[in-house]
Amino acid sequence: MKLKHLKSMILAYLLVGGSYVSNAQEISAMQAPKVVSPEVGKDNSVTFRVFSPDANKVEVNGSWMGFGDRLPLAKGENGIWSVSVDPLESSMYHYNFFIDGVSAIDPTNPEALRDGTRYASLLIVPGDGAKVFQLNETPHGDVSKVWYQSPSLESYRRMYVYTPPGYETSTQDYPVLYLLHGAGGDEDAWTALGRANYILDNLIAEGKAKPMLIVMTNGNAWQTSTLRNKPGIGAITRETYGQFQGKFEKSLVEDVVPYIEKNYRVIKSKDGRALAGLSMGGAHTITASIEYPGTFGYIGVFSSGIFDANADMAEMEMKFAALKSSNVQKYWVGCGVDDFVMESNKRLLSVLEKVDFEHEYYESEGGHTWANWRDYLSIFAPMLFK
Amino acid sequence: MKLKHLKSMILAYLLVGGSYVSNAQEISAMQAPKVVSPEVGKDNSVTFRVFSPDANKVEVNGSWMGFGDRLPLAKGENGIWSVSVDPLESSMYHYNFFIDGVSAIDPTNPEALRDGTRYASLLIVPGDGAKVFQLNETPHGDVSKVWYQSPSLESYRRMYVYTPPGYETSTQDYPVLYLLHGAGGDEDAWTALGRANYILDNLIAEGKAKPMLIVMTNGNAWQTSTLRNKPGIGAITRETYGQFQGKFEKSLVEDVVPYIEKNYRVIKSKDGRALAGLSMGGAHTITASIEYPGTFGYIGVFSSGIFDANADMAEMEMKFAALKSSNVQKYWVGCGVDDFVMESNKRLLSVLEKVDFEHEYYESEGGHTWANWRDYLSIFAPMLFK
């Protein structure tokens, strides 16, 4: 479309009905032939379409497929490529097209999400499985991007803070769930991919979870915020990892918790604090809880465990025994039966059993996926602060 | 890459140095040959690259180019396509590739931004022009996504609220800038594309602007939040626009301002309130200020004006005269010399002149662009609340 035409269209929209409004969807729709993608059928089959008369090959990869798998689209009339996939379980997925091998989000799908350093298009297959993380007609908590000083990391850093509906007008002190992301993620992951805010909105609205804050930090100790390293940090090498080992956990307990307890109306004791994380964040959870026993009254380890097969298990047992005697209200472990971290997970379970640490273990289907982590959060959150 | 290999790589990263960390950049880098894009040269020329041995045609469109213009990339060795553009002015840009005609964000650029219903890759050309909106080493304000009830729109809606550095710990009452987006945008636009939070961070750090809150609403009265219509609203038609005419402005003054003044520590009078908007948001600014004289002490109209060529100018003059007598501290108008709304802008200026309304007019280069709106904000904000 030529610029001149776009301008006339915008002006026309601005003047429609004597009002000054326009609509991005309509402007966007002018730029390509009418293509509907993704289209969810009544049986939850999904059709993907993309317009390209010139491409040699169009493929799609979705989060319901294997990581490297690609499903080819077939070229049809008018240059529209398409493929339908068998009915998907009601859940949230993300996908990318590959246009002659180049990763692209679906140009006709306005909803995309950030997955670390890449973007993908959002697909929600409606139904029971989606209700817990959908934006439903309930009160919503607010999500704030909050900057704080971290003396432990000598850094000014960003975290996301969810405050539950009613927080502004209430006078009560709320409990806090500290919720940690995995490798490749950052402070954005638990809302973008994990929908933690909507999950809590829904659980709270149904009376299943207590109103609580959620604090979502950046677990990459060398970063200040999404994609940004702290000043003086160049390319990330193996040495960087070593340099920052254990420091995030220290900053969590010594910097983040005090910041939250100073600036928010929250309960300032162990039984008002929960800690959970997935994968790398599960490892952070394990470390932070055993290094600072008595800090967190509720602990959740999602798709993680003791990664180091050569860890000193006697020392681990000693530390877990100390944690146990700090009177943890709930120790919850979740892992997918196909998860590649199963061995690490088993090492954690065996330590818990060895020291008679009362815990709950939930083995789900599937592997190392956000579908599982959203589920785990929706199972774990209702157990908290009760 | 096969899933098995990815898993080994992730495990390897998890175990590096005995620590449990990984890095999305590195995982992502495994998926494609080493391609650097975009690359900004020392002279601010920019090279774009994309890997596709199979594509027939690769093009790029950037926000420094015309809306429909496309610059072809040339295929080089190893299937890497590239093109260099002449030095760009230090500023912020966004761009998309077209892979055989299909719009795609740059797969090697981890920074993308949302522009209404589409996504584009971010390009910042460093230098003096970028300093005002960059994330610099200054204190940062927090940005919150806040839900509120709007009785005027019979809707539960979302806005973004910026609180300046120091807000949490201070006891002072702060002034508030209500900042409105244009057609095609929503409550996300002024932070994603406008970088309003970083602009204020930087102006405040340099002592150029007073610390203030910024409230960024969703000006599409039929929406509740980004991409979501209020319940019962289907496809947006001309009738929808008519149905909601003037209602956003009412909701701004009657719902949003009271919400902010109840829930934040702010000045609750005209001279502590500023209102500004771009394009459609400029029209909202004009309407809200003349319909509610005495509400806002500072007014900014960016790339907008009186869009309706058939407006009753006598009535307009009467309303602007009433607004003038409410003692507005500053009326600021900015427009690009090439902007297609120039005629509308001139109608506004002529009314202001007709009723002897003291105002400041800034005519910039360029047209209807975010580069201009970021500039206008950085010029307007320092004039406020002084």
Side-chain angles (χ1 to χ4, degrees):
Chain A
M1 163 159 311
K2 288 281 169 291
L3 186 54
K4 195 174 65 172
H5 297 136
L6 181 79
K7 285 177 181 175
S8 331
M9 293 298 288
I10 292 180
L11 261 183
Y13 281 110
L14 287 168
L15 292 168
V16 164
S19 113
Y20 311 109
V21 291
S22 182
N23 179 279
Q25 278 101 331
E26 302 195 37
I27 293 172
S28 164
M30 297 185 292
Q31 298 164 36
K34 207 74 190 169
V35 173
V36 177
S37 181
E39 185 177 17
V40 182
K42 280 183 182 159
D43 63 349
N44 284 355
S45 63
V46 184
T47 303
F48 300 92
R49 298 186 183 89
V50 63
F51 173 74
S52 177
D54 300 329
N56 294 313
K57 192 168 64 169
V58 178
E59 303 158 302
V60 64
N61 171 269
S63 56
W64 63 93
M65 297 164 56
F67 180 83
D69 298 344
R70 294 185 186 184
L71 180 69
L73 281 72
K75 190 173 179 176
E77 284 173 37
N78 305 324
I80 296 174
W81 300 67
S82 68
V83 69
S84 295
V85 301
D86 287 343
L88 291 174
E89 222 177 303
S90 163
S91 184
M92 170 174 156
Y93 304 92
H94 54 275
Y95 66 98
N96 285 86
F97 288 137
F98 293 86
I99 314 298
D100 285 331
V102 181
S103 174
I105 56 175
D106 184 341
T108 66
N109 180 347
E111 296 207 68
L113 52 76
R114 185 177 162 273
D115 179 10
T117 56
R118 43 178 232 122
Y119 281 77
S121 293
L122 175 68
L123 167 64
I124 290 182
V125 175
D128 284 348
K131 279 182 187 152
V132 74
F133 58 76
Q134 274 183 339
L135 183 65
N136 294 316
E137 298 300 314
T138 65
H140 304 306
D142 297 342
V143 176
S144 302
K145 302 181 183 184
V146 173
W147 289 87
Y148 67 99
Q149 287 290 351
S150 173
S152 307
L153 296 172
E154 297 175 325
S155 180
Y156 186 44
R157 313 191 79 227
R158 196 174 74 167
M159 60 185 159
Y160 285 18
V161 178
Y162 166 87
T163 49
Y167 173 83
E168 300 76 26
T169 48
S170 148
T171 54
Q172 72 170 101
D173 289 346
Y174 288 82
V176 184
L177 165 61
Y178 295 85
L179 189 58
L180 312 181
H181 64 81
D186 52 41
E187 73 270 31
D188 187 56
W190 262 112
T191 50
L193 287 151
R195 318 257 309 180
N197 49 328
Y198 299 140
I199 290 173
L200 264 290
D201 283 353
N202 292 326
L203 294 173
I204 292 168
E206 291 176 22
K208 290 181 180 165
K210 288 218 167 181
M212 65 184 80
L213 276 73
I214 315 176
V215 173
M216 293 159 277
T217 49
N218 181 320
N220 309 310
W222 55 88
Q223 287 188 332
T224 59
S225 59
T226 53
L227 301 175
R228 279 177 179 76
N229 291 341
K230 56 179 281 198
I233 300 286
I236 306 305
T237 64
R238 290 184 174 230
E239 285 66 40
T240 319
Y241 302 136
Q243 181 187 341
F244 285 100
Q245 192 187 347
K247 291 201 178 168
F248 166 72
E249 295 89 327
K250 180 174 156 71
S251 78
L252 175 71
V253 175
E254 298 189 7
D255 306 336
V256 175
V257 171
Y259 183 93
I260 294 297
E261 297 188 351
K262 183 178 172 201
N263 290 289
Y264 292 85
R265 215 174 48 253
V266 295
I267 299 166
K268 298 182 176 68
S269 59
K270 173 179 74 73
D271 290 347
R273 301 187 199 110
L275 175 62
L278 72 91
S279 194
M280 177 182 84
H284 285 154
T285 296
I286 293 170
T287 305
S289 56
I290 59 180
E291 296 299 330
Y292 297 87
T295 305
F296 302 100
Y298 299 82
I299 295 165
V301 178
F302 304 170
S303 303
S304 189
I306 297 168
F307 285 112
D308 185 355
N310 303 313
D312 181 338
M313 294 307 270
E315 193 191 340
M316 275 288 171
E317 286 162 24
M318 210 177 64
K319 288 183 170 178
F320 271 88
L323 177 63
K324 175 189 170 190
S325 65
S326 78
N327 196 17
V328 169
Q329 303 291 332
K330 174 73 79 177
Y331 202 111
W332 191 90
V333 179
C335 195
V337 67
D338 299 327
D339 198 316
F340 66 96
V341 304
M342 186 51 86
E343 284 309 308
S344 306
N345 175 57
K346 283 182 177 160
R347 273 192 288 275
L348 169 63
L349 293 174
S350 82
V351 171
L352 290 169
E353 277 148 28
K354 203 77 173 284
V355 302
D356 253 336
F357 200 136
E358 196 186 324
H359 62 281
E360 195 165 324
Y361 175 52
Y362 176 73
E363 193 166 278
S364 68
E365 291 182 21
H368 212 68
T369 65
W370 274 104
N372 272 343
W373 302 324
R374 285 185 294 265
D375 276 354
Y376 298 169
L377 177 61
S378 68
I379 294 166
F380 181 64
M383 299 173 178
L384 301 178
F385 313 123
K386 285 179 173 171
Chain B
M1 166 163 304
K2 288 281 170 288
L3 185 56
K4 195 175 66 175
H5 296 136
L6 181 79
K7 285 177 181 175
S8 330
M9 293 298 286
I10 292 180
L11 261 185
Y13 281 111
L14 286 168
L15 292 169
V16 165
S19 111
Y20 311 110
V21 292
S22 181
N23 180 278
Q25 279 101 332
E26 301 195 38
I27 293 171
S28 165
M30 296 184 293
Q31 298 164 35
K34 207 75 189 167
V35 173
V36 177
S37 181
E39 185 177 16
V40 181
K42 280 184 184 159
D43 63 349
N44 284 356
S45 63
V46 184
T47 302
F48 300 92
R49 297 185 183 90
V50 62
F51 173 75
S52 178
D54 300 328
N56 294 312
K57 191 168 65 169
V58 177
E59 303 158 302
V60 64
N61 171 267
S63 55
W64 63 94
M65 296 163 58
F67 179 82
D69 298 345
R70 294 186 185 182
L71 180 69
L73 281 72
K75 191 172 180 177
E77 284 173 37
N78 306 324
I80 295 174
W81 299 67
S82 68
V83 67
S84 294
V85 301
D86 287 342
L88 291 174
E89 223 177 303
S90 162
S91 184
M92 169 174 156
Y93 305 91
H94 53 277
Y95 66 97
N96 285 85
F97 287 137
F98 293 87
I99 314 297
D100 285 332
V102 180
S103 174
I105 56 175
D106 183 342
T108 64
N109 181 348
E111 294 209 69
L113 52 79
R114 186 178 162 273
D115 179 9
T117 56
R118 40 179 235 122
Y119 281 77
S121 292
L122 175 68
L123 167 64
I124 290 181
V125 175
D128 284 347
K131 280 183 186 150
V132 74
F133 58 76
Q134 275 182 339
L135 184 65
N136 293 317
E137 298 300 314
T138 65
H140 304 307
D142 297 342
V143 176
S144 303
K145 302 182 182 184
V146 174
W147 289 87
Y148 66 100
Q149 288 290 350
S150 172
S152 307
L153 296 172
E154 298 176 324
S155 180
Y156 186 44
R157 314 191 78 226
R158 196 174 74 168
M159 60 185 160
Y160 285 18
V161 178
Y162 166 88
T163 49
Y167 173 83
E168 301 75 28
T169 47
S170 148
T171 55
Q172 73 168 100
D173 289 345
Y174 287 82
V176 184
L177 166 61
Y178 295 85
L179 188 60
L180 312 181
H181 64 81
D186 53 40
E187 73 271 31
D188 187 55
W190 262 113
T191 49
L193 287 150
R195 318 250 316 175
N197 49 327
Y198 298 139
I199 291 174
L200 264 290
D201 283 353
N202 292 325
L203 293 173
I204 292 167
E206 291 176 23
K208 288 182 181 165
K210 288 217 167 182
M212 65 183 80
L213 276 74
I214 316 177
V215 174
M216 293 159 278
T217 50
N218 181 320
N220 309 310
W222 56 88
Q223 288 187 334
T224 60
S225 59
T226 53
L227 301 175
R228 279 178 179 76
N229 292 340
K230 55 180 280 198
I233 298 287
I236 305 305
T237 64
R238 291 186 174 228
E239 285 66 40
T240 320
Y241 301 137
Q243 182 188 341
F244 285 101
Q245 191 186 347
K247 292 201 177 167
F248 167 72
E249 295 91 325
K250 180 174 156 68
S251 78
L252 175 70
V253 175
E254 299 188 7
D255 305 336
V256 175
V257 171
Y259 183 94
I260 294 298
E261 297 188 351
K262 184 178 171 203
N263 290 289
Y264 292 85
R265 214 173 50 252
V266 296
I267 300 167
K268 298 181 178 67
S269 58
K270 173 178 73 75
D271 291 347
R273 301 188 200 111
L275 175 62
L278 72 92
S279 195
M280 176 182 85
H284 285 154
T285 296
I286 292 171
T287 305
S289 57
I290 60 179
E291 296 298 331
Y292 297 87
T295 306
F296 302 99
Y298 299 81
I299 295 165
V301 178
F302 304 169
S303 305
S304 189
I306 297 168
F307 284 113
D308 185 356
N310 303 312
D312 180 339
M313 294 307 270
E315 193 193 339
M316 276 286 172
E317 285 162 23
M318 211 176 64
K319 288 183 171 179
F320 271 89
L323 177 63
K324 176 190 169 188
S325 65
S326 80
N327 197 17
V328 169
Q329 304 290 333
K330 173 72 76 177
Y331 202 112
W332 191 90
V333 178
C335 196
V337 67
D338 299 325
D339 198 314
F340 66 96
V341 304
M342 186 51 85
E343 284 310 307
S344 305
N345 175 56
K346 282 182 178 161
R347 273 192 288 276
L348 169 63
L349 294 173
S350 82
V351 171
L352 291 168
E353 277 149 27
K354 203 77 171 285
V355 302
D356 255 337
F357 200 136
E358 195 183 326
H359 63 280
E360 196 164 323
Y361 177 50
Y362 175 74
E363 193 166 278
S364 68
E365 291 183 20
H368 211 67
T369 65
W370 275 104
N372 272 342
W373 302 324
R374 286 185 293 266
D375 275 355
Y376 299 170
L377 177 61
S378 70
I379 294 166
F380 181 65
M383 299 173 177
L384 300 178
F385 313 122
K386 285 179 173 171

